[in-house]
Amino acid sequence: MATKFLLQDSRYKTTTLKKHLIQHLIISGSSSIADIAKELQLSIPTVTKFVSELMNDNYILDLGKQNTPGGRKPNIYGLNPNAGYFVGVDVEVKKVLLATIDFCGNVIDEGYVVRYNLEDTEEAFDRLCEIVQDYIHQLEIDTSKVLQVGINLGGRVNPKTGFSYSFFHFDDKPLTEKIEKRIGIPVNLENDSRAMMYGEFLAGVVKNEKNILFININWGLGAGIIIDGKPYYGKSGFSGEVGHVCALDNEIICNCGKKGCLETEASGYAIERMSHERKAQGCTSILWDMMEEHGEFLLSDFVEAVLREDVLAIEIVEHIGFVLGRWVAGLINLLNPEMVILGGPLSATQDYLRLPVQSAIRKYSLNLVNQDTQLVVSKLGIRGGLIGACMLSRSRLLGMI
Ligand SMILES: [Zn+2]
């Protein structure tokens, strides 16, 4: 069966070279045998043989003659979209979102959302496995061709070993192994901010930039880093914990148990706390009606209040933008990125958030360094994590990351 080759051990040289060939077609879209040979530095007969074998296994398709004016027209080859599928699972605090991409990276199913309570319990783990299984069963594709399931979780995650330390770390087995046992499909685990960043990198706001800093402003605050076109993980996959940098001299206890973390002043939790403080002071805002209507404080309500030009909500987003921007300025000095992306739910406030961040960057970073950096808002928005989970799953199976 076609799927076996990709799951085969990459120590076989032929397997590695075939994976490189598929990677090249992912990046280029389609290519001639001569172009593949040049890119992979292989001989024409070798590439012809690999192409023929990959066509027999249904991984790639002959797309016919290239339509170019004049000269010889070589045959071009591209990936077969139906060679395999990748499921993405974005686990959020109150819901799980699922989607599927085909082998070419096209989203073929999206919009499946299930209410869920993310808690560090056996019951929540069982429920998550059930949700993934139910989703795969209802897909209108040959589900035996689902090659991998990519799952995003918040907190400390080690994608290389498959361990999650913030959720479902009940014994000494990797979480990926436990889920694989339940659903019968290989699993790739990723930190939520890094998955969002990867979604933007392959299918969002990033064009050709290769050095990128992504900031996820959600209930918590996280970051993802791409260096020379590859996600940067650090030793154990814990890079990007910018929310827990000790940045402030305050007395607010953070979710991590320490105090003074950046997240205590620049995150959804901070917004909720500041809103309640302002309400207690007697300030007016359309937020209070929204909170009463929904019975709780929702980030989506806060974003709506900003976009409806609620003065209090704008003041709060300006404050967190400036606090955040001061630290982004430091990260720009450190990394010299080409692009900084503001992502996560609060990035939907667009320029209300971007402008104070930009202002703080101008004020606090080195002028020569920040001239290299574009500050942009995420294009995929709240879809970013889900698309990233699918894309990361494919990239990891193919050895691209
Ligand atoms: Zn903290």
Side-chain angles (χ1 to χ4, degrees):
M1 191 179 148
T3 56
K4 276 190 180 159
F5 139 74
L6 281 180
L7 302 176
Q8 209 175 344
D9 199 319
S10 288
R11 72 188 159 194
Y12 297 107
K13 199 179 171 199
T14 310
T15 306
T16 306
L17 291 173
K18 282 183 179 174
K19 282 186 180 179
H20 286 167
L21 202 158
I22 293 173
Q23 289 171 19
H24 170 66
L25 291 177
I26 285 176
I27 293 160
S28 64
S30 60
S31 203
S32 65
I33 286 193
D35 286 343
I36 297 169
K38 195 174 161 195
E39 179 67 28
L40 302 187
Q41 297 181 322
L42 294 171
S43 70
I44 298 274
T46 305
V47 172
T48 308
K49 178 173 168 283
F50 285 164
V51 165
S52 165
E53 286 172 5
L54 286 168
M55 276 173 61
N56 285 338
D57 283 345
N58 288 322
Y59 283 111
I60 64 177
L61 298 172
D62 182 345
L63 301 176
K65 300 277 182 203
Q66 201 170 17
N67 198 14
T68 51
R72 283 179 60 200
K73 293 175 180 173
N75 256 36
I76 58 164
Y77 299 87
L79 296 175
N80 175 5
N82 301 317
Y85 305 97
F86 300 89
V87 168
V89 184
D90 192 27
V91 184
E92 297 188 1
V93 177
K94 290 177 185 174
K95 59 181 185 280
V96 179
L97 298 90
L98 299 103
T100 304
I101 59 167
D102 65 20
F103 205 63
C104 294
N106 305 306
V107 178
I108 59 162
D109 185 84
E110 194 181 355
Y112 193 97
V113 183
V114 183
R115 283 184 77 86
Y116 176 72
N117 276 328
L118 176 59
E119 292 164 347
D120 190 25
T121 62
E122 293 274 4
E123 292 73 30
F125 170 73
D126 288 342
R127 179 72 189 120
L128 180 62
C129 294
E130 273 172 29
I131 291 170
V132 176
Q133 278 175 313
D134 289 349
Y135 172 73
I136 292 172
H137 286 153
Q138 59 84 50
L139 283 172
E140 291 175 353
I141 53 170
D142 176 0
T143 52
S144 69
K145 285 188 175 176
V146 175
L147 302 180
Q148 198 168 62
V149 174
I151 300 180
N152 301 342
L153 268 181
R156 260 63 70 205
V157 164
N158 186 337
K160 283 179 194 149
T161 60
F163 276 96
S164 158
Y165 296 94
S166 303
F167 293 98
F168 314 137
H169 186 44
F170 308 128
D171 50 40
D172 59 358
K173 287 204 178 79
L175 181 60
T176 46
E177 194 182 307
K178 288 189 280 189
I179 302 177
E180 277 168 28
K181 211 170 153 189
R182 291 282 295 269
I183 67 172
I185 299 170
V187 168
N188 178 51
L189 194 64
E190 189 56 85
N191 166 272
D192 55 352
S193 300
R194 209 152 34 220
M196 292 165 102
M197 169 193 73
Y198 204 67
E200 291 295 337
F201 182 58
L202 286 193
V205 72
V206 177
K207 293 187 179 77
N208 298 310
E209 294 80 6
K210 299 274 185 271
N211 295 290
I212 296 155
L213 175 64
F214 178 91
I215 310 283
N216 174 20
I217 313 132
N218 203 327
W219 281 105
L221 182 70
I225 303 162
I226 287 186
I227 295 177
D228 290 336
K230 297 217 168 187
Y232 176 76
Y233 285 90
K235 182 177 185 293
S236 307
F238 306 152
S239 70
E241 290 290 357
V242 68
H244 303 289
V245 170
C246 185
L248 304 152
D249 189 17
N250 66 22
E251 289 298 319
I252 303 167
I253 303 288
C254 180
N255 281 313
C256 71
K258 300 189 187 299
K259 64 181 180 181
C261 291
L262 183 57
E263 188 171 297
T264 61
E265 288 284 340
S267 68
Y269 291 120
I271 288 175
E272 183 181 22
R273 188 193 68 246
M274 287 178 217
S275 298
H276 286 303
E277 283 168 5
R278 301 292 285 272
K279 188 167 187 265
Q281 289 163 8
C283 296
T284 53
S285 167
I286 57 173
L287 270 173
W288 316 150
D289 286 343
M290 290 166 154
M291 277 160 63
E292 193 155 324
E293 190 187 337
H294 294 125
E296 60 186 329
F297 182 90
L298 299 175
L299 288 184
S300 53
D301 283 344
F302 179 81
V303 169
E304 193 188 327
V306 171
L307 297 177
R308 284 169 61 186
E309 299 179 359
D310 180 80
V311 173
L312 180 120
I314 291 172
E315 281 170 11
I316 291 176
V317 86
E318 281 174 350
H319 173 75
I320 68 153
F322 197 79
V323 172
L324 178 65
R326 204 164 57 179
W327 276 85
V328 171
L331 294 171
I332 286 175
N333 285 352
L334 184 70
L335 296 169
N336 185 209
E338 296 163 90
M339 182 180 267
V340 173
I341 306 170
L342 299 176
L346 285 162
S347 69
T349 56
Q350 300 286 330
D351 272 358
Y352 287 107
L353 177 70
R354 194 184 66 84
L355 293 176
V357 173
Q358 183 80 69
S359 166
I361 289 172
R362 284 216 187 96
K363 188 169 176 186
Y364 294 109
S365 68
L366 296 170
N367 192 31
L368 188 66
V369 182
N370 76 38
Q371 281 173 12
D372 282 347
T373 308
Q374 316 170 49
L375 177 70
V376 297
V377 173
S378 135
K379 183 175 167 189
L380 296 176
I382 52 173
R383 294 174 64 225
L386 191 54
I387 304 301
C390 295
M391 297 289 184
L392 273 163
S393 180
R394 183 179 65 157
S395 294
R396 194 165 292 280
L397 189 69
L398 289 167
M400 292 172 80
I401 52 170

